[in-house]
Amino acid sequence: MAANMLVSLACAMQVQSFRTVHGFGYASTMCIGNLRSGTESFSKFLRDRERESLYKVLYFFGIIIIFAIGAGAGGVISARLGLGTIWLSVMLLVIVALMMTKETR
């Protein structure tokens, strides 16, 4: 139960902290909203040929593709390293935290 609460807190913080990419609102913890937004933008691009709609398509589907690559890599690494994978995750999170604090200064 404690682990579930901590994961829920982390997801809530992530959703609140990372709301946009280049001015486009997106869901950082799930793909279904991004898939809907990307498909909507693609439909709008096909209908109206607006250049901004094409940019949105590329951003949303790019986010989904990068997520899928990360999930696949995580699965492969987990299969090879087992529980040691958690240390790789910790290292990546520390690097990202340092990058974020450096950027806000």
Side-chain angles (χ1 to χ4, degrees):
M1 183 154 76
N4 189 17
M5 289 175 11
L6 290 172
V7 168
S8 296
L9 175 65
C11 284
M13 290 173 62
Q14 182 175 339
V15 166
Q16 186 61 26
S17 298
F18 305 104
R19 300 177 75 112
T20 62
V21 169
H22 294 277
F24 303 128
Y26 83 111
S28 62
T29 58
M30 59 198 116
C31 283
I32 197 72
N34 297 330
L35 182 60
R36 182 196 56 81
S37 297
T39 304
E40 177 184 5
S41 297
F42 185 59
S43 173
K44 190 171 184 178
F45 172 73
L46 290 177
R47 189 178 57 244
D48 302 333
R49 297 291 183 200
E50 289 181 2
R51 193 173 199 90
E52 185 173 335
S53 295
L54 181 60
Y55 290 137
K56 280 182 152 182
V57 170
L58 296 174
Y59 280 116
F60 285 115
F61 285 115
I63 289 167
I64 293 168
I65 290 168
I66 290 170
F67 174 83
I69 290 169
V76 170
I77 293 169
S78 294
R80 294 183 188 241
L81 297 180
L83 289 175
T85 307
I86 195 71
W87 296 112
L88 179 61
S89 299
V90 170
M91 288 188 324
L92 290 172
L93 287 171
V94 167
I95 291 168
V96 170
L98 291 172
M99 289 170 63
M100 288 176 55
T101 57
K102 182 179 179 183
E103 191 173 299
T104 58
R105 290 182 189 171

